[in-house]
PDB file of all heavy atoms in Angstrom:
ATOM      1  N   LEU A   1      16.483  -3.668  -6.460  1.00 91.00           N
ATOM      2  CA  LEU A   1      16.046  -4.284  -5.211  1.00 91.00           C
ATOM      3  C   LEU A   1      15.561  -5.705  -5.458  1.00 91.00           C
ATOM      4  O   LEU A   1      15.040  -6.024  -6.526  1.00 91.00           O
ATOM      5  CB  LEU A   1      14.904  -3.470  -4.594  1.00 91.00           C
ATOM      6  CG  LEU A   1      15.168  -1.982  -4.319  1.00 91.00           C
ATOM      7  CD1 LEU A   1      13.912  -1.338  -3.755  1.00 91.00           C
ATOM      8  CD2 LEU A   1      16.348  -1.805  -3.372  1.00 91.00           C
ATOM      9  N   ILE A   2      15.740  -6.552  -4.452  1.00 89.00           N
ATOM     10  CA  ILE A   2      15.189  -7.909  -4.494  1.00 89.00           C
ATOM     11  C   ILE A   2      13.738  -7.839  -4.025  1.00 89.00           C
ATOM     12  O   ILE A   2      13.445  -7.310  -2.953  1.00 89.00           O
ATOM     13  CB  ILE A   2      15.991  -8.864  -3.599  1.00 89.00           C
ATOM     14  CG1 ILE A   2      17.429  -8.970  -4.110  1.00 89.00           C
ATOM     15  CG2 ILE A   2      15.348 -10.237  -3.552  1.00 89.00           C
ATOM     16  CD1 ILE A   2      18.341  -9.750  -3.190  1.00 89.00           C
ATOM     17  N   VAL A   3      12.835  -8.381  -4.819  1.00 88.00           N
ATOM     18  CA  VAL A   3      11.401  -8.339  -4.519  1.00 88.00           C
ATOM     19  C   VAL A   3      10.771  -9.649  -4.974  1.00 88.00           C
ATOM     20  O   VAL A   3      11.374 -10.399  -5.745  1.00 88.00           O
ATOM     21  CB  VAL A   3      10.712  -7.163  -5.252  1.00 88.00           C
ATOM     22  CG1 VAL A   3      11.193  -5.823  -4.736  1.00 88.00           C
ATOM     23  CG2 VAL A   3      10.928  -7.281  -6.762  1.00 88.00           C
ATOM     24  N   PRO A   4       9.553  -9.953  -4.513  1.00 86.00           N
ATOM     25  CA  PRO A   4       8.855 -11.120  -5.067  1.00 86.00           C
ATOM     26  C   PRO A   4       8.618 -10.947  -6.559  1.00 86.00           C
ATOM     27  O   PRO A   4       8.504  -9.814  -7.054  1.00 86.00           O
ATOM     28  CB  PRO A   4       7.531 -11.133  -4.294  1.00 86.00           C
ATOM     29  CG  PRO A   4       7.834 -10.410  -3.028  1.00 86.00           C
ATOM     30  CD  PRO A   4       8.819  -9.345  -3.396  1.00 86.00           C
ATOM     31  N   LYS A   5       8.560 -12.044  -7.292  1.00 84.00           N
ATOM     32  CA  LYS A   5       8.350 -11.954  -8.741  1.00 84.00           C
ATOM     33  C   LYS A   5       6.957 -11.448  -9.087  1.00 84.00           C
ATOM     34  O   LYS A   5       6.761 -10.782 -10.092  1.00 84.00           O
ATOM     35  CB  LYS A   5       8.569 -13.328  -9.383  1.00 84.00           C
ATOM     36  CG  LYS A   5      10.027 -13.671  -9.632  1.00 84.00           C
ATOM     37  CD  LYS A   5      10.145 -14.966 -10.433  1.00 84.00           C
ATOM     38  CE  LYS A   5      11.607 -15.272 -10.764  1.00 84.00           C
ATOM     39  NZ  LYS A   5      11.741 -16.523 -11.540  1.00 84.00           N
ATOM     40  N   THR A   6       5.981 -11.769  -8.245  1.00 82.00           N
ATOM     41  CA  THR A   6       4.593 -11.445  -8.564  1.00 82.00           C
ATOM     42  C   THR A   6       4.221 -10.053  -8.096  1.00 82.00           C
ATOM     43  O   THR A   6       4.449  -9.692  -6.940  1.00 82.00           O
ATOM     44  CB  THR A   6       3.636 -12.465  -7.918  1.00 82.00           C
ATOM     45  OG1 THR A   6       4.011 -13.776  -8.323  1.00 82.00           O
ATOM     46  CG2 THR A   6       2.197 -12.196  -8.326  1.00 82.00           C
ATOM     47  N   GLU A   7       3.636  -9.249  -8.974  1.00 86.00           N
ATOM     48  CA  GLU A   7       3.133  -7.923  -8.617  1.00 86.00           C
ATOM     49  C   GLU A   7       1.659  -8.036  -8.237  1.00 86.00           C
ATOM     50  O   GLU A   7       0.911  -8.790  -8.839  1.00 86.00           O
ATOM     51  CB  GLU A   7       3.261  -6.964  -9.800  1.00 86.00           C
ATOM     52  CG  GLU A   7       4.689  -6.759 -10.284  1.00 86.00           C
ATOM     53  CD  GLU A   7       4.735  -5.851 -11.511  1.00 86.00           C
ATOM     54  OE1 GLU A   7       3.649  -5.364 -11.925  1.00 86.00           O
ATOM     55  OE2 GLU A   7       5.831  -5.624 -12.047  1.00 86.00           O
ATOM     56  N   VAL A   8       1.240  -7.256  -7.223  1.00 84.00           N
ATOM     57  CA  VAL A   8      -0.180  -7.255  -6.852  1.00 84.00           C
ATOM     58  C   VAL A   8      -0.891  -6.000  -7.347  1.00 84.00           C
ATOM     59  O   VAL A   8      -2.113  -5.968  -7.453  1.00 84.00           O
ATOM     60  CB  VAL A   8      -0.362  -7.399  -5.326  1.00 84.00           C
ATOM     61  CG1 VAL A   8       0.185  -8.721  -4.843  1.00 84.00           C
ATOM     62  CG2 VAL A   8       0.287  -6.250  -4.578  1.00 84.00           C
ATOM     63  N   VAL A   9      -0.122  -4.935  -7.623  1.00 85.00           N
ATOM     64  CA  VAL A   9      -0.670  -3.738  -8.280  1.00 85.00           C
ATOM     65  C   VAL A   9       0.305  -3.319  -9.357  1.00 85.00           C
ATOM     66  O   VAL A   9       1.489  -3.671  -9.326  1.00 85.00           O
ATOM     67  CB  VAL A   9      -0.907  -2.574  -7.289  1.00 85.00           C
ATOM     68  CG1 VAL A   9      -2.013  -2.906  -6.313  1.00 85.00           C
ATOM     69  CG2 VAL A   9       0.370  -2.210  -6.548  1.00 85.00           C
ATOM     70  N   ALA A  10      -0.176  -2.550 -10.312  1.00 83.00           N
ATOM     71  CA  ALA A  10       0.635  -2.242 -11.485  1.00 83.00           C
ATOM     72  C   ALA A  10       1.731  -1.221 -11.205  1.00 83.00           C
ATOM     73  O   ALA A  10       2.818  -1.299 -11.773  1.00 83.00           O
ATOM     74  CB  ALA A  10      -0.267  -1.742 -12.615  1.00 83.00           C
ATOM     75  N   SER A  11       1.461  -0.256 -10.328  1.00 84.00           N
ATOM     76  CA  SER A  11       2.398   0.854 -10.165  1.00 84.00           C
ATOM     77  C   SER A  11       2.853   0.981  -8.727  1.00 84.00           C
ATOM     78  O   SER A  11       2.127   0.640  -7.787  1.00 84.00           O
ATOM     79  CB  SER A  11       1.725   2.168 -10.604  1.00 84.00           C
ATOM     80  OG  SER A  11       2.562   3.276 -10.352  1.00 84.00           O
ATOM     81  N   ALA A  12       4.078   1.479  -8.553  1.00 82.00           N
ATOM     82  CA  ALA A  12       4.619   1.718  -7.215  1.00 82.00           C
ATOM     83  C   ALA A  12       4.428   3.167  -6.792  1.00 82.00           C
ATOM     84  O   ALA A  12       4.910   3.586  -5.743  1.00 82.00           O
ATOM     85  CB  ALA A  12       6.104   1.358  -7.174  1.00 82.00           C
ATOM     86  N   THR A  13       3.740   3.946  -7.604  1.00 82.00           N
ATOM     87  CA  THR A  13       3.476   5.348  -7.273  1.00 82.00           C
ATOM     88  C   THR A  13       1.976   5.600  -7.296  1.00 82.00           C
ATOM     89  O   THR A  13       1.207   4.841  -7.867  1.00 82.00           O
ATOM     90  CB  THR A  13       4.167   6.300  -8.269  1.00 82.00           C
ATOM     91  OG1 THR A  13       3.678   6.020  -9.592  1.00 82.00           O
ATOM     92  CG2 THR A  13       5.670   6.127  -8.234  1.00 82.00           C
ATOM     93  N   ILE A  14       1.567   6.687  -6.667  1.00 78.00           N
ATOM     94  CA  ILE A  14       0.178   7.124  -6.690  1.00 78.00           C
ATOM     95  C   ILE A  14       0.122   8.440  -7.450  1.00 78.00           C
ATOM     96  O   ILE A  14       0.635   9.463  -6.985  1.00 78.00           O
ATOM     97  CB  ILE A  14      -0.378   7.305  -5.264  1.00 78.00           C
ATOM     98  CG1 ILE A  14      -0.424   5.967  -4.540  1.00 78.00           C
ATOM     99  CG2 ILE A  14      -1.779   7.912  -5.300  1.00 78.00           C
ATOM    100  CD1 ILE A  14      -0.955   6.045  -3.118  1.00 78.00           C
ATOM    101  N   GLU A  15      -0.471   8.392  -8.627  1.00 70.00           N
ATOM    102  CA  GLU A  15      -0.521   9.591  -9.464  1.00 70.00           C
ATOM    103  C   GLU A  15      -1.560  10.591  -8.964  1.00 70.00           C
ATOM    104  O   GLU A  15      -1.390  11.799  -9.091  1.00 70.00           O
ATOM    105  CB  GLU A  15      -0.833   9.194 -10.910  1.00 70.00           C
ATOM    106  CG  GLU A  15       0.191   8.259 -11.541  1.00 70.00           C
ATOM    107  CD  GLU A  15       1.589   8.862 -11.588  1.00 70.00           C
ATOM    108  OE1 GLU A  15       1.699  10.103 -11.670  1.00 70.00           O
ATOM    109  OE2 GLU A  15       2.569   8.098 -11.542  1.00 70.00           O
ATOM    110  N   ASP A  16      -2.661  10.082  -8.406  1.00 73.00           N
ATOM    111  CA  ASP A  16      -3.734  10.954  -7.929  1.00 73.00           C
ATOM    112  C   ASP A  16      -3.348  11.536  -6.572  1.00 73.00           C
ATOM    113  O   ASP A  16      -3.117  10.812  -5.604  1.00 73.00           O
ATOM    114  CB  ASP A  16      -5.037  10.159  -7.803  1.00 73.00           C
ATOM    115  CG  ASP A  16      -6.244  11.056  -7.614  1.00 73.00           C
ATOM    116  OD1 ASP A  16      -6.078  12.177  -7.100  1.00 73.00           O
ATOM    117  OD2 ASP A  16      -7.360  10.633  -7.970  1.00 73.00           O
ATOM    118  N   GLU A  17      -3.270  12.865  -6.482  1.00 76.00           N
ATOM    119  CA  GLU A  17      -2.838  13.517  -5.256  1.00 76.00           C
ATOM    120  C   GLU A  17      -3.837  13.380  -4.117  1.00 76.00           C
ATOM    121  O   GLU A  17      -3.559  13.763  -2.980  1.00 76.00           O
ATOM    122  CB  GLU A  17      -2.564  15.002  -5.521  1.00 76.00           C
ATOM    123  CG  GLU A  17      -1.393  15.241  -6.462  1.00 76.00           C
ATOM    124  CD  GLU A  17      -1.098  16.715  -6.645  1.00 76.00           C
ATOM    125  OE1 GLU A  17      -1.872  17.533  -6.109  1.00 76.00           O
ATOM    126  OE2 GLU A  17      -0.107  17.041  -7.320  1.00 76.00           O
ATOM    127  N   LYS A  18      -5.021  12.826  -4.402  1.00 81.00           N
ATOM    128  CA  LYS A  18      -6.036  12.666  -3.361  1.00 81.00           C
ATOM    129  C   LYS A  18      -5.754  11.461  -2.464  1.00 81.00           C
ATOM    130  O   LYS A  18      -6.439  11.259  -1.472  1.00 81.00           O
ATOM    131  CB  LYS A  18      -7.428  12.512  -3.991  1.00 81.00           C
ATOM    132  CG  LYS A  18      -7.920  13.740  -4.735  1.00 81.00           C
ATOM    133  CD  LYS A  18      -9.298  13.491  -5.317  1.00 81.00           C
ATOM    134  CE  LYS A  18      -9.800  14.717  -6.081  1.00 81.00           C
ATOM    135  NZ  LYS A  18     -11.138  14.472  -6.684  1.00 81.00           N
ATOM    136  N   TYR A  19      -4.733  10.660  -2.823  1.00 87.00           N
ATOM    137  CA  TYR A  19      -4.473   9.427  -2.086  1.00 87.00           C
ATOM    138  C   TYR A  19      -3.058   9.422  -1.508  1.00 87.00           C
ATOM    139  O   TYR A  19      -2.173  10.158  -1.957  1.00 87.00           O
ATOM    140  CB  TYR A  19      -4.662   8.208  -2.988  1.00 87.00           C
ATOM    141  CG  TYR A  19      -6.077   8.055  -3.495  1.00 87.00           C
ATOM    142  CD1 TYR A  19      -6.452   8.603  -4.720  1.00 87.00           C
ATOM    143  CD2 TYR A  19      -7.038   7.396  -2.743  1.00 87.00           C
ATOM    144  CE1 TYR A  19      -7.755   8.487  -5.186  1.00 87.00           C
ATOM    145  CE2 TYR A  19      -8.335   7.276  -3.201  1.00 87.00           C
ATOM    146  CZ  TYR A  19      -8.691   7.821  -4.423  1.00 87.00           C
ATOM    147  OH  TYR A  19      -9.982   7.708  -4.871  1.00 87.00           O
ATOM    148  N   THR A  20      -2.877   8.569  -0.506  1.00 87.00           N
ATOM    149  CA  THR A  20      -1.565   8.404   0.101  1.00 87.00           C
ATOM    150  C   THR A  20      -1.428   6.963   0.582  1.00 87.00           C
ATOM    151  O   THR A  20      -2.325   6.149   0.390  1.00 87.00           O
ATOM    152  CB  THR A  20      -1.376   9.387   1.282  1.00 87.00           C
ATOM    153  OG1 THR A  20      -0.026   9.325   1.736  1.00 87.00           O
ATOM    154  CG2 THR A  20      -2.321   9.058   2.430  1.00 87.00           C
ATOM    155  N   PHE A  21      -0.278   6.635   1.208  1.00 88.00           N
ATOM    156  CA  PHE A  21      -0.035   5.283   1.688  1.00 88.00           C
ATOM    157  C   PHE A  21      -0.269   5.203   3.193  1.00 88.00           C
ATOM    158  O   PHE A  21      -0.056   6.174   3.928  1.00 88.00           O
ATOM    159  CB  PHE A  21       1.406   4.847   1.392  1.00 88.00           C
ATOM    160  CG  PHE A  21       1.699   4.659  -0.075  1.00 88.00           C
ATOM    161  CD1 PHE A  21       2.674   5.414  -0.714  1.00 88.00           C
ATOM    162  CD2 PHE A  21       1.004   3.719  -0.820  1.00 88.00           C
ATOM    163  CE1 PHE A  21       2.949   5.245  -2.056  1.00 88.00           C
ATOM    164  CE2 PHE A  21       1.273   3.532  -2.167  1.00 88.00           C
ATOM    165  CZ  PHE A  21       2.242   4.308  -2.784  1.00 88.00           C
ATOM    166  N   TYR A  22      -0.678   4.021   3.645  1.00 90.00           N
ATOM    167  CA  TYR A  22      -0.838   3.769   5.084  1.00 90.00           C
ATOM    168  C   TYR A  22      -0.289   2.383   5.395  1.00 90.00           C
ATOM    169  O   TYR A  22      -0.578   1.421   4.676  1.00 90.00           O
ATOM    170  CB  TYR A  22      -2.308   3.843   5.498  1.00 90.00           C
ATOM    171  CG  TYR A  22      -2.526   3.471   6.950  1.00 90.00           C
ATOM    172  CD1 TYR A  22      -2.275   4.383   7.969  1.00 90.00           C
ATOM    173  CD2 TYR A  22      -2.938   2.185   7.307  1.00 90.00           C
ATOM    174  CE1 TYR A  22      -2.443   4.044   9.295  1.00 90.00           C
ATOM    175  CE2 TYR A  22      -3.112   1.833   8.642  1.00 90.00           C
ATOM    176  CZ  TYR A  22      -2.866   2.767   9.630  1.00 90.00           C
ATOM    177  OH  TYR A  22      -3.023   2.430  10.945  1.00 90.00           O
ATOM    178  N   GLU A  23       0.507   2.264   6.463  1.00 87.00           N
ATOM    179  CA  GLU A  23       1.081   0.988   6.873  1.00 87.00           C
ATOM    180  C   GLU A  23       0.251   0.396   8.004  1.00 87.00           C
ATOM    181  O   GLU A  23       0.042   1.031   9.043  1.00 87.00           O
ATOM    182  CB  GLU A  23       2.529   1.179   7.340  1.00 87.00           C
ATOM    183  CG  GLU A  23       3.210  -0.126   7.724  1.00 87.00           C
ATOM    184  CD  GLU A  23       4.668   0.066   8.143  1.00 87.00           C
ATOM    185  OE1 GLU A  23       5.088   1.232   8.318  1.00 87.00           O
ATOM    186  OE2 GLU A  23       5.371  -0.937   8.302  1.00 87.00           O
ATOM    187  N   VAL A  24      -0.244  -0.822   7.813  1.00 87.00           N
ATOM    188  CA  VAL A  24      -1.081  -1.489   8.806  1.00 87.00           C
ATOM    189  C   VAL A  24      -0.259  -1.803  10.055  1.00 87.00           C
ATOM    190  O   VAL A  24       0.817  -2.397   9.965  1.00 87.00           O
ATOM    191  CB  VAL A  24      -1.689  -2.793   8.237  1.00 87.00           C
ATOM    192  CG1 VAL A  24      -2.511  -3.508   9.305  1.00 87.00           C
ATOM    193  CG2 VAL A  24      -2.548  -2.473   7.018  1.00 87.00           C
ATOM    194  N   LYS A  25      -0.780  -1.411  11.205  1.00 80.00           N
ATOM    195  CA  LYS A  25      -0.084  -1.609  12.477  1.00 80.00           C
ATOM    196  C   LYS A  25      -0.419  -2.976  13.074  1.00 80.00           C
ATOM    197  O   LYS A  25      -1.359  -3.640  12.656  1.00 80.00           O
ATOM    198  CB  LYS A  25      -0.486  -0.500  13.459  1.00 80.00           C
ATOM    199  CG  LYS A  25      -0.249   0.901  12.942  1.00 80.00           C
ATOM    200  CD  LYS A  25       1.218   1.159  12.671  1.00 80.00           C
ATOM    201  CE  LYS A  25       1.475   2.600  12.263  1.00 80.00           C
ATOM    202  NZ  LYS A  25       0.901   2.969  10.965  1.00 80.00           N
ATOM    203  N   PRO A  26       0.354  -3.420  14.093  1.00 74.00           N
ATOM    204  CA  PRO A  26       0.072  -4.723  14.720  1.00 74.00           C
ATOM    205  C   PRO A  26      -1.365  -4.800  15.237  1.00 74.00           C
ATOM    206  O   PRO A  26      -1.877  -3.837  15.803  1.00 74.00           O
ATOM    207  CB  PRO A  26       1.083  -4.778  15.882  1.00 74.00           C
ATOM    208  CG  PRO A  26       2.209  -3.896  15.442  1.00 74.00           C
ATOM    209  CD  PRO A  26       1.565  -2.793  14.653  1.00 74.00           C
ATOM    210  N   LYS A  27      -2.001  -5.947  15.011  1.00 70.00           N
ATOM    211  CA  LYS A  27      -3.346  -6.257  15.495  1.00 70.00           C
ATOM    212  C   LYS A  27      -4.441  -5.416  14.853  1.00 70.00           C
ATOM    213  O   LYS A  27      -5.580  -5.420  15.313  1.00 70.00           O
ATOM    214  CB  LYS A  27      -3.417  -6.132  17.024  1.00 70.00           C
ATOM    215  CG  LYS A  27      -2.482  -7.076  17.763  1.00 70.00           C
ATOM    216  CD  LYS A  27      -2.652  -6.947  19.262  1.00 70.00           C
ATOM    217  CE  LYS A  27      -1.708  -7.892  19.997  1.00 70.00           C
ATOM    218  NZ  LYS A  27      -1.845  -7.796  21.466  1.00 70.00           N
ATOM    219  N   GLU A  28      -4.121  -4.663  13.804  1.00 80.00           N
ATOM    220  CA  GLU A  28      -5.154  -3.875  13.133  1.00 80.00           C
ATOM    221  C   GLU A  28      -5.871  -4.737  12.097  1.00 80.00           C
ATOM    222  O   GLU A  28      -5.249  -5.305  11.210  1.00 80.00           O
ATOM    223  CB  GLU A  28      -4.556  -2.639  12.456  1.00 80.00           C
ATOM    224  CG  GLU A  28      -4.263  -1.516  13.414  1.00 80.00           C
ATOM    225  CD  GLU A  28      -3.849  -0.240  12.719  1.00 80.00           C
ATOM    226  OE1 GLU A  28      -3.309  -0.300  11.602  1.00 80.00           O
ATOM    227  OE2 GLU A  28      -4.043   0.836  13.307  1.00 80.00           O
ATOM    228  N   GLY A  29      -7.169  -4.834  12.246  1.00 82.00           N
ATOM    229  CA  GLY A  29      -8.004  -5.503  11.270  1.00 82.00           C
ATOM    230  C   GLY A  29      -8.909  -4.482  10.608  1.00 82.00           C
ATOM    231  O   GLY A  29      -8.776  -3.268  10.815  1.00 82.00           O
ATOM    232  N   PHE A  30      -9.850  -4.965   9.808  1.00 85.00           N
ATOM    233  CA  PHE A  30     -10.734  -4.048   9.092  1.00 85.00           C
ATOM    234  C   PHE A  30     -11.549  -3.197  10.059  1.00 85.00           C
ATOM    235  O   PHE A  30     -11.781  -2.019   9.794  1.00 85.00           O
ATOM    236  CB  PHE A  30     -11.673  -4.835   8.168  1.00 85.00           C
ATOM    237  CG  PHE A  30     -10.999  -5.371   6.945  1.00 85.00           C
ATOM    238  CD1 PHE A  30     -10.835  -6.730   6.759  1.00 85.00           C
ATOM    239  CD2 PHE A  30     -10.516  -4.503   5.973  1.00 85.00           C
ATOM    240  CE1 PHE A  30     -10.213  -7.231   5.623  1.00 85.00           C
ATOM    241  CE2 PHE A  30      -9.889  -4.990   4.830  1.00 85.00           C
ATOM    242  CZ  PHE A  30      -9.734  -6.354   4.659  1.00 85.00           C
ATOM    243  N   TYR A  31     -11.968  -3.783  11.189  1.00 78.00           N
ATOM    244  CA  TYR A  31     -12.786  -3.001  12.105  1.00 78.00           C
ATOM    245  C   TYR A  31     -11.998  -1.855  12.721  1.00 78.00           C
ATOM    246  O   TYR A  31     -12.468  -0.712  12.779  1.00 78.00           O
ATOM    247  CB  TYR A  31     -13.386  -3.876  13.214  1.00 78.00           C
ATOM    248  CG  TYR A  31     -14.234  -3.040  14.130  1.00 78.00           C
ATOM    249  CD1 TYR A  31     -15.504  -2.634  13.735  1.00 78.00           C
ATOM    250  CD2 TYR A  31     -13.739  -2.580  15.339  1.00 78.00           C
ATOM    251  CE1 TYR A  31     -16.268  -1.813  14.538  1.00 78.00           C
ATOM    252  CE2 TYR A  31     -14.498  -1.764  16.143  1.00 78.00           C
ATOM    253  CZ  TYR A  31     -15.760  -1.381  15.741  1.00 78.00           C
ATOM    254  OH  TYR A  31     -16.502  -0.544  16.531  1.00 78.00           O
TER     255      TYR A  31
END
């Protein structure tokens, strides 16, 4: 795949089963 050269985290997987992924929706901020 074509991707940016710079990585922001080391792994593309989550080894700990206690965690999952979430995609930020439009207009969602920290609050």
Side-chain angles (χ1 to χ4, degrees):
L1 304 178
I2 297 173
V3 294
K5 279 187 176 180
T6 305
E7 300 177 3
V8 297
V9 293
S11 175
T13 59
I14 295 180
E15 300 300 331
D16 193 334
E17 295 183 355
K18 295 180 181 179
Y19 297 93
T20 188
F21 292 119
Y22 175 80
E23 183 178 10
V24 178
K25 304 298 185 293
K27 299 183 180 180
E28 282 188 333
F30 286 113
Y31 181 77

